[in-house]
Coordinates of all heavy atoms in Angstrom, one line a residue:
L74 N 15.6 3.6 -3.1 CA 16.8 4.1 -3.8 C 16.5 5.2 -4.7 O 17.2 6.3 -4.7 CB 17.5 3.0 -4.5 CG 18.3 2.0 -3.7 CD1 18.9 0.9 -4.6 CD2 19.4 2.6 -2.9
A75 N 15.4 5.1 -5.5 CA 15.1 6.2 -6.4 C 14.7 7.4 -5.8 O 15.1 8.5 -6.2 CB 13.9 5.6 -7.3
S76 N 13.9 7.3 -4.7 CA 13.4 8.5 -3.9 C 14.6 9.2 -3.2 O 14.8 10.4 -3.3 CB 12.4 8.2 -2.9 OG 11.2 7.8 -3.5
S77 N 15.6 8.4 -2.7 CA 16.7 8.9 -2.0 C 17.6 9.6 -3.0 O 18.2 10.7 -2.7 CB 17.4 7.7 -1.3 OG 16.6 7.2 -0.3
A78 N 17.8 9.0 -4.3 CA 18.6 9.7 -5.2 C 18.1 11.1 -5.5 O 18.8 12.0 -5.6 CB 18.7 8.8 -6.4
L79 N 16.8 11.1 -5.8 CA 16.2 12.4 -6.2 C 16.3 13.4 -5.0 O 16.2 14.6 -5.3 CB 14.8 12.2 -6.6 CG 14.7 11.4 -8.0 CD1 13.2 11.1 -8.3 CD2 15.3 12.1 -9.1
L80 N 16.2 12.9 -3.8 CA 16.2 13.7 -2.6 C 17.6 14.4 -2.5 O 17.7 15.6 -2.2 CB 15.9 12.9 -1.4 CG 15.9 13.6 -0.1 CD1 15.0 14.9 0.0 CD2 15.6 12.7 1.1
F81 N 18.7 13.6 -2.7 CA 20.0 14.1 -2.4 C 20.9 14.5 -3.6 O 21.9 15.2 -3.3 CB 20.8 13.0 -1.5 CG 20.1 12.7 -0.2 CD1 19.5 11.5 0.0 CD2 20.1 13.7 0.8 CE1 19.0 11.3 1.2 CE2 19.6 13.4 2.0 CZ 19.0 12.2 2.3
L82 N 20.5 14.1 -4.7 CA 21.4 14.6 -5.9 C 21.3 16.1 -6.1 O 20.3 16.7 -5.8 CB 20.8 13.9 -7.2 CG 21.2 12.4 -7.4 CD1 20.5 11.8 -8.6 CD2 22.7 12.2 -7.5
P83 N 22.4 16.6 -6.6 CA 22.5 18.1 -6.9 C 21.5 18.5 -8.0 O 21.2 17.6 -8.8 CB 23.9 18.4 -7.3 CG 24.5 17.0 -7.6 CD 23.7 16.0 -6.8
E84 N 21.0 19.7 -8.0 CA 20.0 20.1 -8.9 C 20.4 19.9 -10.3 O 19.5 19.5 -11.2 CB 19.6 21.6 -8.6 CG 18.4 22.0 -9.5 CD 17.7 23.3 -9.0 OE1 18.1 23.7 -7.8 OE2 16.8 23.8 -9.6
E85 N 21.7 20.2 -10.8 CA 22.0 20.0 -12.1 C 22.0 18.7 -12.7 O 21.9 18.4 -13.9 CB 23.4 20.6 -12.3 CG 24.5 20.0 -11.6 CD 24.7 20.7 -10.2 OE1 23.8 21.4 -9.7 OE2 25.8 20.4 -9.5
V86 N 22.0 17.7 -11.7 CA 21.9 16.2 -12.2 C 20.5 15.7 -12.2 O 20.3 14.7 -13.0 CB 22.7 15.3 -11.2 CG1 22.8 13.9 -11.6 CG2 24.2 15.9 -11.1
M87 N 19.6 16.4 -11.6 CA 18.2 15.9 -11.5 C 17.5 15.6 -12.8 O 16.9 14.6 -12.9 CB 17.4 16.9 -10.6 CG 17.8 17.0 -9.2 SD 17.1 15.7 -8.2 CE 15.5 16.4 -8.1
P88 N 17.6 16.5 -13.8 CA 16.9 16.1 -15.1 C 17.5 14.9 -15.7 O 16.7 14.2 -16.4 CB 17.2 17.3 -16.0 CG 17.5 18.4 -15.0 CD 18.2 17.8 -13.8
H89 N 18.7 14.5 -15.5 CA 19.2 13.3 -16.0 C 18.9 12.1 -15.2 O 18.8 11.0 -15.7 CB 20.7 13.4 -16.2 CG 21.2 14.6 -16.9 ND1 21.0 14.8 -18.3 CD2 21.8 15.8 -16.5 CE1 21.5 16.0 -18.7 NE2 22.0 16.5 -17.6
A90 N 18.7 12.3 -13.9 CA 18.4 11.2 -13.0 C 16.9 10.9 -12.9 O 16.6 9.8 -12.5 CB 18.9 11.5 -11.6
L91 N 16.1 11.8 -13.4 CA 14.6 11.5 -13.3 C 14.2 10.4 -14.0 O 13.4 9.6 -13.5 CB 13.9 12.8 -13.7 CG 12.4 12.8 -13.6 CD1 11.9 12.6 -12.1 CD2 11.7 14.0 -14.3
L92 N 14.6 10.2 -15.3 CA 14.1 9.0 -16.1 C 14.5 7.7 -15.5 O 13.6 6.8 -15.3 CB 14.6 9.2 -17.5 CG 14.1 8.1 -18.5 CD1 12.5 8.2 -18.5 CD2 14.7 8.4 -19.9
P93 N 15.7 7.5 -15.0 CA 16.0 6.2 -14.4 C 15.3 6.0 -13.1 O 14.8 4.9 -12.8 CB 17.5 6.4 -14.1 CG 18.1 7.3 -15.1 CD 17.0 8.3 -15.3
A94 N 15.1 7.1 -12.3 CA 14.4 6.9 -11.1 C 12.9 6.6 -11.4 O 12.3 5.8 -10.7 CB 14.4 8.3 -10.4
L95 N 12.3 7.2 -12.3 CA 11.0 6.9 -12.8 C 10.8 5.5 -13.3 O 9.8 4.8 -13.0 CB 10.5 7.9 -13.8 CG 10.1 9.3 -13.4 CD1 9.8 10.1 -14.6 CD2 8.9 9.3 -12.4
A96 N 11.8 5.0 -14.0 CA 11.8 3.7 -14.6 C 11.8 2.6 -13.4 O 11.0 1.6 -13.4 CB 13.0 3.4 -15.5
V97 N 12.7 2.9 -12.4 CA 12.7 1.9 -11.3 C 11.4 2.0 -10.5 O 10.8 0.9 -10.1 CB 13.9 2.3 -10.3 CG1 13.8 1.6 -9.0 CG2 15.2 2.1 -11.1
T98 N 10.8 3.2 -10.3 CA 9.6 3.3 -9.5 C 8.5 2.7 -10.3 O 7.6 2.0 -9.7 CB 9.3 4.8 -9.3 OG1 10.4 5.4 -8.6 CG2 8.0 5.0 -8.5
A99 N 8.3 2.9 -11.6 CA 7.3 2.3 -12.4 C 7.4 0.8 -12.4 O 6.3 0.1 -12.3 CB 7.3 2.9 -13.8
A100 N 8.6 0.2 -12.5 CA 8.7 -1.2 -12.5 C 8.3 -1.8 -11.2 O 7.6 -2.8 -11.2 CB 10.2 -1.6 -12.8
A101 N 8.7 -1.1 -10.1 CA 8.3 -1.7 -8.8 C 6.8 -1.5 -8.6 O 6.1 -2.4 -7.9 CB 9.1 -0.8 -7.7
Y102 N 6.3 -0.4 -9.1 CA 4.8 -0.2 -8.9 C 4.0 -1.3 -9.7 O 3.1 -1.9 -9.1 CB 4.5 1.2 -9.5 CG 3.0 1.5 -9.6 CD1 2.4 2.1 -8.5 CD2 2.2 1.4 -10.8 CE1 1.1 2.4 -8.5 CE2 0.9 1.7 -10.8 CZ 0.3 2.2 -9.7 OH -1.0 2.6 -9.7
G103 N 4.4 -1.5 -10.9 CA 3.8 -2.6 -11.7 C 4.1 -4.0 -11.0 O 3.1 -4.8 -10.9
A104 N 5.2 -4.3 -10.5 CA 5.5 -5.5 -9.9 C 4.6 -5.7 -8.7 O 4.1 -6.9 -8.4 CB 7.0 -5.5 -9.5
N105 N 4.3 -4.7 -7.9 CA 3.5 -4.9 -6.7 C 2.0 -5.3 -7.0 O 1.4 -6.0 -6.3 CB 3.5 -3.6 -5.9 CG 4.5 -3.7 -4.7 OD1 5.5 -4.4 -4.8 ND2 4.1 -3.2 -3.6
W106 N 1.6 -4.8 -8.2 CA 0.3 -5.2 -8.6 C 0.2 -6.6 -9.0 O -0.9 -7.3 -9.1 CB -0.2 -4.3 -9.8 CG -0.8 -3.0 -9.4 CD1 -0.3 -1.8 -9.6 CD2 -2.0 -2.8 -8.6 NE1 -1.1 -0.8 -9.1 CE2 -2.2 -1.5 -8.5 CE3 -3.0 -3.7 -8.2 CZ2 -3.3 -0.9 -7.8 CZ3 -4.1 -3.2 -7.5 CH2 -4.2 -1.8 -7.3
A107 N 1.3 -7.3 -9.3 CA 1.4 -8.7 -9.6 C 1.6 -9.5 -8.3 O 1.1 -10.6 -8.1 CB 2.5 -9.0 -10.5
I108 N 2.5 -8.9 -7.4 CA 2.8 -9.6 -6.2 C 1.5 -9.8 -5.3 O 1.3 -10.8 -4.7 CB 3.9 -8.8 -5.3 CG1 5.3 -8.9 -6.2 CG2 4.1 -9.4 -4.0 CD1 6.3 -8.0 -5.6
M109 N 0.8 -8.6 -5.1 CA -0.3 -8.6 -4.2 C -1.3 -9.6 -4.3 O -1.6 -10.5 -3.5 CB -0.9 -7.2 -4.2 CG -2.0 -6.9 -3.2 SD -3.7 -6.9 -3.9 CE -3.5 -5.4 -4.9
P110 N -2.0 -9.8 -5.6 CA -3.0 -10.9 -5.7 C -2.4 -12.3 -5.6 O -3.0 -13.2 -5.1 CB -3.6 -10.6 -7.1 CG -2.6 -9.8 -7.8 CD -1.9 -9.0 -6.8
S111 N -1.1 -12.4 -6.1 CA -0.5 -13.7 -6.0 C -0.2 -14.1 -4.6 O -0.5 -15.3 -4.3 CB 0.8 -13.6 -6.9 OG 1.5 -14.9 -6.7
F112 N 0.2 -13.2 -3.8 CA 0.5 -13.5 -2.4 C -0.8 -13.8 -1.6 O -0.9 -14.7 -0.9 CB 1.2 -12.3 -1.8 CG 1.3 -12.4 -0.3 CD1 2.1 -13.3 0.4 CD2 0.5 -11.5 0.6 CE1 2.2 -13.5 1.7 CE2 0.6 -11.7 2.0 CZ 1.4 -12.7 2.5
I113 N -1.9 -13.0 -2.0 CA -3.2 -13.2 -1.3 C -3.7 -14.6 -1.6 O -4.2 -15.3 -0.7 CB -4.2 -12.1 -1.7 CG1 -3.8 -10.8 -1.0 CG2 -5.5 -12.5 -1.3 CD1 -4.6 -9.6 -1.5
A114 N -3.6 -14.9 -2.9 CA -4.2 -16.4 -3.3 C -3.4 -17.4 -2.6 O -3.9 -18.4 -2.2 CB -4.1 -16.4 -4.9
K115 N -2.0 -17.2 -2.5 CA -1.1 -18.3 -1.9 C -1.4 -18.3 -0.4 O -1.5 -19.4 0.2 CB 0.3 -17.9 -2.2 CG 1.3 -19.0 -1.8 CD 1.3 -20.1 -2.7 CE 2.4 -21.1 -2.3 NZ 2.4 -22.3 -3.1

Side-chain angles (χ1 to χ4, degrees):
L74 283 180
S76 295
S77 299
L79 293 175
L80 175 61
F81 294 113
L82 284 174
E84 183 160 354
E85 59 271 16
V86 179
M87 293 278 282
H89 306 292
L91 182 62
L92 187 57
L95 286 172
V97 170
T98 302
Y102 176 84
N105 259 35
W106 276 113
I108 294 169
M109 184 253 295
S111 176
F112 170 70
I113 289 173
K115 186 78 174 177

